[in-house]
Amino acid sequence: AGHVFVDSVPLVRLPETGLVDVSMVDILLVSNCFSMLALPYLVKEYNFKGKVFATEPTKQLGKQLMEELCEYIHRTPVTDRSQLWRDEEMMRSLPDCALKEAADFLYWKTLYKLQDVYSAISLIEGVSYGQKNDLFGSLEVTAVSSGYCLGSCNWVME
């Protein structure tokens, strides 16, 4: 009765990068563990090779979140029919729904692999609260506790 069910492995929509060439970015400042969940895509899909700064608890919690997410998602059974919903003809036959309005659904990706997580984590430099970090001799960034979640921070730039 007006519901559309999709039997598929979970897919994700990649971060918007239309305004920025991610491969040209030199520094990422991560404020909390949830903000790093897209980092493996930035590294693999968008060729990010810069430095990443995060507090050590954020780095560890983010790594654990991504490992658990990979374990959970990759145990999801895949059926022969799991990709049928992505067929354009099938989409046209669906009743009006939010999924039908997502024009870019053909470009959604499966979740990254554990190796992608480890490659992304290797770019992260763990920092302490209050530690001043020099960026190219022209800027200093310091992580200060934000109180949002364990290890989260705001970045002070001087």
Side-chain angles (χ1 to χ4, degrees):
H3 292 97
V4 175
F5 296 98
V6 175
D7 180 21
S8 172
V9 295
L11 299 171
V12 296
R13 187 173 181 272
L14 294 185
E16 289 286 333
T17 61
L19 298 175
V20 176
D21 179 0
V22 176
S23 66
M24 301 297 290
V25 173
D26 295 320
I27 302 286
L28 285 178
L29 302 175
V30 178
S31 296
N32 63 70
C33 58
F34 305 109
S35 297
M36 8 181 331
L37 295 179
L39 187 58
Y41 291 117
L42 293 177
V43 172
K44 185 176 182 179
E45 301 288 332
Y46 298 117
N47 205 26
F48 175 77
K49 290 182 173 57
K51 278 186 169 181
V52 181
F53 288 101
T55 63
E56 196 59 44
T58 292
K59 178 180 176 180
Q60 296 305 318
L61 286 170
K63 178 180 179 236
Q64 185 173 0
L65 278 172
M66 289 186 281
E67 287 172 337
E68 289 177 0
L69 189 59
C70 283
E71 181 183 333
Y72 175 76
I73 296 295
H74 294 299
R75 309 190 264 200
T76 304
V78 179
T79 65
D80 293 340
R81 302 174 48 94
S82 68
Q83 295 296 317
L84 291 178
W85 71 273
R86 294 177 79 178
D87 179 65
E88 289 186 53
E89 185 64 36
M90 175 72 75
M91 268 300 171
R92 280 194 285 276
S93 70
L94 290 177
D96 288 337
C97 64
L99 182 62
K100 194 172 183 179
E101 293 171 16
D104 61 350
F105 69 89
L106 292 174
Y107 303 105
W108 293 357
K109 303 268 187 186
T110 56
L111 190 72
Y112 38 74
K113 307 275 190 264
L114 270 177
Q115 185 55 43
D116 302 326
V117 170
Y118 299 138
S119 294
I121 293 295
S122 71
L123 297 176
I124 300 175
E125 183 177 327
V127 300
S128 301
Y129 291 123
Q131 175 184 334
K132 293 190 180 297
N133 303 282
D134 180 63
L135 303 183
F136 311 111
S138 61
L139 184 67
E140 275 189 348
V141 294
T142 307
V144 294
S145 179
S146 72
Y148 172 65
C149 64
L150 187 63
S152 65
C153 69
N154 291 320
W155 293 95
V156 177
M157 297 181 199
E158 300 175 301

